[in-house]
Amino acid sequence: MRRCAVAAMAALAILAAVLHPGPAYAGAVAPTAAGHRVTDDRGRALTLRGWNVGDKAHRGADALSAITERHFRDMSAQGFDFARLLVFWDDLEPQPGHYSRRYLGKIERILDWAHRYRIHVVIDAHQDVFGPRFGHRGIPEWATRTDGLPFTPHPDDWFSEYFEPAVQAAFQHLYQDADLRRAQARMWRLLAARFGRHPAVLGYDLINEPMGRINAGEDLPTAAGRIEAQQLTPMYNRIAHAVRQVDSDNWLFVEPTPIVGEGVPTGLGRIDDPKVVYAPHLYNAVMEAGGDYDPDGGWLEAYEAAVVGYPRRYGTPVVVGEWGPLNGDLPNMHRFYDDVLASMDRYSGGWAGWEWCYGGGYCAVDANGQLRPNKERTVRPYARAVAGSVHVDTYTAATRTYRLSYEPRLGKTTELSLPASPVGWRIAVDGPATAQPSAVPAETAATVRLTTSATADRDVTVVVTPKR
């Protein structure tokens, strides 16, 4: 599980200080439009819809063994086109300068499965509470420096371990020690050189949920902004430079601290690269502890109001790298899924839910491969790739109607992903394009391809509705 099922009281006490449910965030946020999009190698605007895929339980010879071809086959069957693949530096480089060929080979096999099912992959350098020195995964023990400071485990509330003195010292050394900076850059240069040309790879998430040291007298929002501005921004620029030495094409996904999840604007600065994606996570402290969604609490409005600032300032696409509640079958969770999906549609070009696994808790599907309660709401029509400039891209859950309007580009094909429906789908096109197929029968998933005519002199509008 990503978070403990029991109440995470210490973390909640810290995060509660940054909640902003007051009148400034009350009510609905005006649509902000997704704006810039991630593009594919043909210049088409992508919508990324998918899930995180990882294996935190196995290490060494058994690393990544929980991930199988079934993960990608089943995701594809539901219409998803995106996976955020967790990889761990401690498995990749168990000793300084010694990289595991076995681990690299396993990553490549997973990427081959993703390509087989037309799923874009972002390789995520994942860490939780820094790494193995503190009982988790991520940064190797040889790269963990604690200055002899204490660490007390919190097995019932692991997120609060980020605030242990030894963990905060370890982050400080990662950001400031020249040899660790070089090691992190070498690690990323190796991954980009090995996998940059793989057809499944879309980009790299440079570090998962980074944190840092909180100085005396700082509250959590102030500390997060300082860490993002003074430590994460230079780190991302260093890694970007290393990656670009071997890969000039794929996208770089950069994250703020997890504190953004409580409606705090990021302090991240400009990353000097033309292909940067802002990739915040979307978690709420109450739901992380197993609680229900409060539709009137103002949290989601505060989050959206805060998260749109960075992409507006720097002109970057947004892809939400993780989101989803621990307990998806509580009374208000149908509202949560509908509200969050509608919110992300306003400002992002995609998302990856946590996580595609077969079981309980956060898992998207049960042991039989059936979507778990309310997670079926993530399965809906969308445009996988748009050959043109997107003007309207909306889904109305109440009527199950999808609408896309775009200025087309000649010679390129737009693709829609339509999931299986009990009644099938009807596709209506207005403008200089034809759809193939123009209707989808019941209980059938389909990719609809829109081909622009030679006289594309106006917008194309596509409306997908359930067949009657």
Side-chain angles (χ1 to χ4, degrees), residues 53-69 71 85-88 91 102-111 113 137 195:
V53 176
D55 179 6
K56 296 185 181 183
H58 300 96
R59 300 187 60 183
D62 295 326
L64 300 175
S65 58
I67 302 174
T68 67
E69 183 175 359
H71 286 66
L85 173 64
L86 281 60
V87 301
F88 298 108
D91 263 326
R102 174 183 292 171
Y103 194 64
L104 290 167
K106 290 186 174 186
I107 294 172
E108 186 163 19
R109 180 178 63 178
I110 292 170
L111 294 175
W113 290 333
R137 304 298 312 281
F195 301 120

Side-chain angles (χ1 to χ4, degrees), residues 341-355:
L341 289 166
S343 175
M344 290 191 293
D345 281 351
R346 287 192 287 269
Y347 62 81
S348 84
W351 46 259
W354 188 272
E355 67 176 313

Side-chain angles (χ1 to χ4, degrees), residues 13-138:
I14 295 168
L15 292 172
V18 299
L19 287 169
H20 300 291
Y25 296 102
V29 174
T32 55
H36 296 275
R37 295 289 185 106
V38 175
T39 54
D40 65 10
D41 55 5
R42 288 180 273 177
R44 299 183 301 174
L46 300 179
T47 299
L48 303 172
R49 298 280 174 84
W51 298 83
N52 283 264
V53 176
D55 179 6
K56 296 185 181 183
H58 300 96
R59 300 187 60 183
D62 295 326
L64 300 175
S65 58
I67 302 174
T68 67
E69 183 175 359
R70 179 191 182 191
H71 286 66
F72 300 94
R73 182 179 63 244
D74 290 356
M75 278 195 288
S76 178
Q78 296 288 354
F80 298 112
D81 68 345
F82 180 47
R84 181 173 177 263
L85 173 64
L86 281 60
V87 301
F88 298 108
W89 186 1
D90 58 290
D91 263 326
L92 175 62
E93 191 180 2
Q95 299 297 327
H98 296 278
Y99 297 99
S100 171
R101 293 182 179 179
R102 174 183 292 171
Y103 194 64
L104 290 167
K106 290 186 174 186
I107 294 172
E108 186 163 19
R109 180 178 63 178
I110 292 170
L111 294 175
D112 289 344
W113 290 333
H115 179 56
R116 184 174 303 165
Y117 295 101
R118 300 187 67 223
I119 291 178
H120 300 290
V121 175
V122 166
I123 297 173
D124 162 43
H126 207 83
Q127 67 79 32
D128 295 313
V129 194
F130 205 79
R133 173 70 67 85
F134 308 112
H136 298 275
R137 304 298 312 281

